[in-house]
Amino acid sequence: ISGRLFDRLLDILMVLAIAILIFGWLSVCFEVIMRYFAGRPQIWVIETVEYIQLYICFLGAAWLLREEGHVKVDVLLNWLSPKNQALLNTITSGLATILWLILTWYTGGTTLKAFQKELYTATILEIPKAPLYAIMPVGSFLLCVQFARRTYGYLMDYKRR
C-alpha cells in the first residue's frame, strides 16, 4: 500500500469517526429531550454511545499519530541534541510498532473467537461481540503501520544528521 493511499485511508476513517461522534452527540441530545421533556427514556443510547467511543478511538488514532497530535512528554527529549532526539524517537516508535503488532494479533484472535463462538453482549441490546471487537485489530494494525512509517522517518532523520 502506497503512502498516499494509506494517508487517504486514514483521512477517510477520521471523517467516519467524526460522523460517528456527531451521531453519538445527537443521540445523547435526543435521550435528554426524550427523558426530561417526553418522559420516555431511550434504553439504547447509553450502550450505543459506549460502543461509539470504542470505534472513535480506533478509527482516529492512526490519523492522530500521523498528525503528531498525541500528547508528548518531551521534557527530557528537549535536552538532547537533534541527532539524539531522532535516535530516541526511532527507538520508541520501533517499540510502539512491535507493541501494536502484538495487539493486532491478540485483538484479531479475540475477534475471531467471538465470531466463531457467536458470542453476544450481556447487555440490554444483546448484540454480537464480533462486530464490536472487529475495530480493535483494524485500528491496531493501522497504528502499527503508522508507527512503522514514523520509525522509518525518524531513522532517516537520524542518518541525515
Side-chain angles (χ1 to χ4, degrees), residues 84-153:
N84 286 335
Q85 285 181 15
L87 177 61
L88 186 57
N89 284 329
T90 301
I91 292 167
T92 57
S93 292
L95 291 172
T97 302
I98 295 166
L99 170 73
W100 285 104
L101 183 61
I102 292 167
L103 286 171
T104 299
W105 179 261
Y106 179 78
T107 58
T110 301
T111 302
L112 183 60
K113 286 178 191 172
F115 177 75
Q116 290 172 336
K117 293 182 178 184
E118 298 179 9
L119 300 177
Y120 283 77
T121 61
T123 60
I124 293 171
L125 297 181
E126 293 185 20
I127 59 175
K129 287 184 177 183
L132 294 178
Y133 292 172
I135 193 60
M136 292 186 286
V138 171
S140 295
F141 177 73
L142 295 172
L143 271 166
C144 178
V145 171
Q146 186 58 37
F147 267 115
R149 293 172 72 193
R150 192 172 188 240
T151 302
Y152 178 78

